Amino acid sequence: MDQIGDNTAERKIIHCDCDCFYAAVEQRDDPSLRGKPIAVGGAGDRRGVLCTASYEARAYGVRSAMPTRTALKLCPDLIVLPVAMDKYKAVAKDVRGVFQRYTDVIEPLSLDEAYLDVSGSEHHQGSATLIAEAIRSEVRDSLGITISAGVAPNKFLAKVASDWHKPDGIKVIPPQEVEAFVAALPVDKIHGVGKITAKKLHDLGIFRCADLRRWELVDLSKHFGSFAQALHNYAQGIDRREVKPSRSRKSLSVELTFAEDLPNADACLAKLPDLLARLNRRLEQLPHTPAVAGQFVKLKSADFRSTTVDRQQLGDWEEGAFGPMLEEAWQRFASPVRLLGIGLRFRVLLPDSQQLPLPFVPGSGSPL
Ligand code: TTP
Ligand code: MG
């Protein structure tokens, strides 16, 4: 069998994720909301959906992305507040300011979540655990919200760990515990394993990573296509992905895998509104609005062939452009579809010393 872990085990990665972020900010700013079931999102009388809910509300089964009306049935006392994105962005910026005191190697995943690589940090004698604790205390004391942290030798495990003792918790997986931790880890905790992949794994008798380890890569590939390699590595506790500081983000995309393959182009087009809503939400959560250089559509057929339709974009991106691109992607295989994605490519900002002269593009705001 492959070795467990690898030489990237010396890395020290922290994954930080604020607890019920939008709701926590609201409770911080209005003490009368503390200790109460609250949620942030659209109103119940206008087919609104919740962005998040306080842990008091979660005790009633209230969840993110739940229609507000459903949530109010579960918890009639639920206080629903409108989204105040500017406020959350300002707090997110302050949270990032705390991270920056400890490392420059920060990869934000969304407004309230980031990976930090503290391998080279000299703070707290280089102890990632002490650094994570310091970040948690500082965020709590100076910003008035709580943040959970996971500390591990790689991104995959750090992210699993930050969720382990949520809310207001920390979990450390030191290198010598990776083997045992991963062996017992349920496969549905693996990043990228959604409900559909989890069911497929379960149907094959794979419930924990220890079960996954018994599979050869070639056999996994037959069932999971290009995702097999990542599954195979994760099951050994291996994840070589580096923490990429935010300025290297070159694109943003969202995708959906369908429980039942989509039979034709119309069925694909019908999924666009959902994809657009997700893309807009991710975009809204970015700390800065990056200049868009292109749009793309990704399609994967039921037999795991993939294709991408790219379109260069001068000026603002257009929601309406995705439809024709999707139809073009569909035409290439004209066969059932299992996955659809849409995304934007950004103009890349290089560090100042390497800044390339870019022409001013009319309609795109200012030159980079
Ligand atoms: P999350 O970190 O996924 O959730 P959370 O911080 O509310 O709760 P947890 O304690 O489980 O981390 O998302 C961060 C914020 O992003 C969340 O406060 C609201 C927003 N969001 C949405 O708007 N819609 C969604 O479906 C989700 C999941 C989050
Ligand atoms: Mg969070």
Side-chain angles (χ1 to χ4, degrees):
M1 194 170 81
D2 296 11
Q3 82 182 97
I4 305 299
D6 69 352
N7 59 3
T8 55
E10 288 101 61
R11 278 194 197 140
K12 295 175 187 173
I13 312 292
I14 305 175
H15 179 259
C16 292
D17 186 339
C18 299
D19 304 315
C20 61
F21 184 53
Y22 298 0
V25 173
E26 299 297 348
Q27 286 181 319
R28 173 193 82 167
D29 291 350
D30 180 352
S32 76
L33 298 174
R34 292 182 199 161
K36 292 194 182 148
I38 73 154
V40 174
D45 55 355
R46 274 177 268 132
R47 296 218 249 148
V49 171
L50 296 182
C51 294
T52 193
S54 65
Y55 277 79
E56 293 85 354
R58 292 184 198 195
Y60 292 84
V62 175
R63 294 285 180 267
S64 297
M66 182 179 268
T68 306
R69 235 182 252 182
T70 312
L72 283 165
K73 277 186 198 137
L74 290 171
C75 176
D77 292 333
L78 186 70
I79 300 167
V80 182
L81 301 158
V83 182
M85 193 54 80
D86 289 346
K87 192 158 69 169
Y88 313 142
K89 280 193 178 176
V91 181
K93 194 165 165 239
D94 292 342
V95 173
R96 208 155 301 138
V98 175
F99 298 159
Q100 279 161 350
R101 293 162 61 107
Y102 296 91
T103 178
D104 293 328
V105 191
I106 302 167
E107 179 180 339
L109 296 178
S110 70
L111 221 47
D112 80 325
E113 197 184 333
Y115 289 113
L116 282 61
D117 188 330
V118 296
S119 310
S121 177
E122 282 165 9
H123 291 270
H124 297 283
Q125 300 86 47
S127 160
T129 306
L130 293 179
I131 292 173
E133 283 294 19
I135 288 172
R136 281 170 26 75
S137 320
E138 209 170 316
V139 168
R140 186 185 55 233
D141 298 344
S142 67
L143 302 177
I145 58 170
T146 60
I147 186 163
S148 296
V151 181
N154 61 47
K155 284 169 123 180
F156 154 53
L157 290 171
K159 188 159 164 83
V160 171
S162 73
D163 215 32
W164 214 249
H165 294 308
K166 231 178 198 309
D168 198 12
I170 180 169
K171 161 99 183 138
V172 180
I173 308 172
Q176 67 275 16
E177 287 173 25
V178 165
E179 140 89 271
F181 181 86
V182 177
L185 188 70
V187 285
D188 35 322
K189 294 276 186 190
I190 295 177
H191 178 63
V193 174
K195 280 194 191 126
I196 295 166
T197 312
K199 180 167 184 319
K200 256 176 102 171
L201 285 161
H202 294 168
D203 288 347
L204 293 167
I206 304 172
F207 294 91
R208 293 178 187 274
C209 286
D211 303 326
L212 201 46
R213 281 185 200 163
R214 288 193 271 274
W215 283 64
E216 297 289 339
L217 179 58
V218 291
D219 297 322
L220 279 180
S221 299
K222 285 177 202 148
H223 296 277
F224 302 99
S226 55
F227 189 43
Q229 180 71 63
L231 278 175
H232 192 72
N233 281 348
Y234 289 161
Q236 329 285 327
I238 296 172
D239 177 10
R240 299 192 180 89
R241 290 173 304 156
E242 286 177 13
V243 174
K244 294 203 189 90
S246 57
R247 62 157 37 111
S248 65
R249 176 183 274 289
K250 296 190 184 88
S251 66
L252 180 73
S253 63
V254 292
E255 53 186 50
L256 290 171
T257 306
F258 307 106
E260 300 205 349
D261 299 332
L262 305 179
N264 53 38
D266 281 346
C268 293
L269 287 171
K271 299 293 178 189
L272 257 184
D274 188 7
L275 284 164
L276 278 167
R278 286 166 194 255
L279 183 67
N280 275 311
R281 186 172 80 73
R282 293 283 310 277
L283 207 54
E284 202 174 43
Q285 288 205 344
L286 291 181
H288 318 284
T289 311
V292 173
Q295 306 183 213
F296 60 94
V297 164
K298 182 177 156 191
L299 179 151
K300 198 181 271 184
S301 64
D303 53 0
F304 285 100
R305 286 176 294 163
S306 288
T307 189
T308 305
V309 174
D310 254 290
R311 174 184 134 141
Q312 284 217 355
Q313 189 68 37
L314 300 179
D316 286 342
W317 64 286
E318 293 164 33
E319 292 200 349
F322 283 119
M325 292 167 71
L326 185 51
E327 284 178 277
E328 188 183 332
W330 158 265
Q331 292 296 343
R332 291 186 183 166
F333 305 135
S335 71
V337 170
R338 79 180 300 265
L339 176 150
L340 282 180
I342 60 172
L344 302 175
R345 292 191 205 291
F346 302 130
R347 279 189 239 158
V348 187
L349 276 178
L350 300 173
D352 286 344
S353 57
Q354 301 169 36
Q355 191 75 51
L356 297 174
L358 280 169
F360 176 74
V361 180
S364 68
S366 51
L368 288 175

